[in-house]
Amino acid sequence: MAIMERGNRQETRGRPPQGESEESREHRHETPVKEASEERSYRAMLSDPQVRRWMWRIGTAVVIGAVGSLVFGVRLGITAAILAVIVDTVRRSRRNSTVSAWQKTSAAERRTEKQLRSLQRNGFLVLHARAVPRDEDGVSDGQIDHLVIGPSGVYAIDSEKWDKRLPVRTQSHLKLFHGPFNRKDRLDEARWEAEQASRIIGEQVGFEVPVQPSVAIYGPSIPWKVMRVRDVDVYAGNRARAYLRRRPKILTDTDVQGIFQAAEKVLPPKYPD
């Protein structure tokens, strides 16, 4: 009798509870799996830097909006929250777009170098990646991507790769904008490099050597041929060769050779072998 009772109890444990359907049993087993999958998806979403960034922005906006509403009223509080999101978005976009573009200048330099190579038959000589100025230890923070000496003069060309999604425009020949960003610092740097090269080369040859700064931009569309902005010539990168060829002759072959030899001596390579 005891053996039969133990068998009945074991049989009962092996069977599903009375009234539980097959569908209920499947749902009971699927629930932990589904919850684990949802948890992994949630963690993956939180690990996304862009999602975290927007969560931070929204949280900051909520705090600013709440405080602003208590102090200045609901309307000004909401306005302050929106402005906080816009300012943070623009700040990060500038850092990403600008830093992401400057790291690719080597490709732009190679494209300009290819154009300048064909000008040698027209009497142009070129030095690439020259340091200006150098201190007593030979260290320099500045670099002229391409120093061009030819019949039409001396030019310091900087090759830039910018985000093609942002338009380029000027304002009164005094400001250069890439999207919403003022590139005054880039123009001032190009002009400073050219001024240093002019001074150093002039001291070496014994006469004034004007050096015209310019920026060749790759990526975005440039709606003009050549535009002088803050004394710096700005043009599309693929126009570098035409920019130099269509200018009047002001230097003799002897002048070109003398200036080139002086520049090669006083402007060392930025990255020596």
Side-chain angles (χ1 to χ4, degrees):
M1 185 69 175
I3 295 174
M4 293 179 63
E5 289 178 355
R6 285 198 300 271
N8 291 336
R9 285 197 298 268
Q10 290 176 356
E11 185 178 356
T12 301
R13 286 198 301 268
R15 293 198 303 267
Q18 187 175 2
E20 184 179 16
S21 65
E22 187 71 22
E23 182 179 355
S24 300
R25 292 198 305 274
E26 291 179 358
H27 178 73
R28 179 159 50 86
H29 290 293
E30 288 177 357
T31 299
V33 176
K34 182 177 181 181
E35 291 177 351
S37 177
E38 290 176 351
E39 184 178 356
R40 287 195 298 270
S41 299
Y42 180 70
R43 289 180 180 176
M45 182 181 67
L46 291 180
S47 64
D48 188 335
Q50 188 172 0
V51 172
R52 292 202 307 268
R53 191 178 305 128
W54 274 104
M55 290 178 66
W56 184 89
R57 286 174 183 162
I58 293 172
T60 303
V62 169
V63 173
I64 293 175
V67 175
S69 298
L70 291 175
V71 178
F72 303 106
V74 176
R75 180 175 297 178
L76 289 179
I78 294 175
T79 302
I82 295 173
L83 287 176
V85 173
I86 293 174
V87 169
D88 182 72
T89 302
V90 171
R91 180 179 62 85
R92 291 182 181 273
S93 174
R94 178 175 184 178
R95 184 182 65 185
N96 294 338
S97 63
T98 52
V99 171
S100 170
W102 285 358
Q103 289 177 342
K104 300 177 182 178
T105 53
S106 59
E109 291 169 15
R110 289 194 295 270
R111 293 177 65 178
T112 301
E113 181 180 355
K114 183 178 179 180
Q115 294 184 70
L116 299 179
R117 196 178 299 126
S118 65
L119 291 176
Q120 293 179 356
R121 68 174 69 96
N122 301 107
F124 286 86
L125 301 175
V126 186
L127 295 171
H128 300 285
R130 311 307 285 197
V132 290
R134 61 176 176 173
D135 57 21
E136 295 178 355
D137 297 325
V139 178
S140 171
D141 292 330
Q143 172 184 320
I144 297 177
D145 293 341
H146 320 277
L147 184 72
V148 183
I149 304 101
S152 60
V154 183
Y155 307 88
I157 302 177
D158 281 350
S159 299
E160 294 284 318
K161 176 69 171 66
W162 290 359
D163 190 338
K164 66 180 180 180
R165 296 171 296 181
L166 300 180
V168 176
R169 60 186 176 88
T170 63
Q171 181 177 336
S172 303
H173 294 268
L174 295 175
K175 295 182 179 180
L176 177 67
F177 290 93
H178 179 217
F181 312 121
N182 189 341
R183 302 313 302 267
K184 174 180 177 298
D185 57 341
R186 191 66 196 88
L187 296 177
D188 290 347
E189 183 180 354
R191 188 174 66 248
W192 176 82
E193 291 169 352
E195 290 172 351
Q196 296 300 312
S198 175
R199 177 183 60 81
I200 296 171
I201 297 172
E203 292 174 353
Q204 181 69 20
V205 298
F207 56 86
E208 183 180 2
V209 180
V211 178
Q212 175 60 46
S214 70
V215 177
I217 302 173
Y218 295 89
S221 175
I222 307 299
W224 59 76
K225 291 184 177 180
V226 179
M227 180 79 71
R228 184 159 294 184
V229 187
R230 298 182 67 83
D231 299 324
V232 179
D233 290 339
V234 180
Y235 47 88
N238 58 9
R239 294 190 57 83
R241 180 170 51 193
Y243 164 73
L244 295 168
R245 291 181 63 180
R246 299 174 183 177
R247 289 174 176 266
K249 183 177 180 179
I250 60 174
L251 296 177
T252 65
D253 292 342
T254 302
D255 293 333
V256 171
Q257 288 290 341
I259 295 172
F260 175 81
Q261 292 172 5
E264 191 174 29
K265 181 178 180 179
V266 299
L267 299 177
K270 180 67 174 180
Y271 308 105
D273 296 334

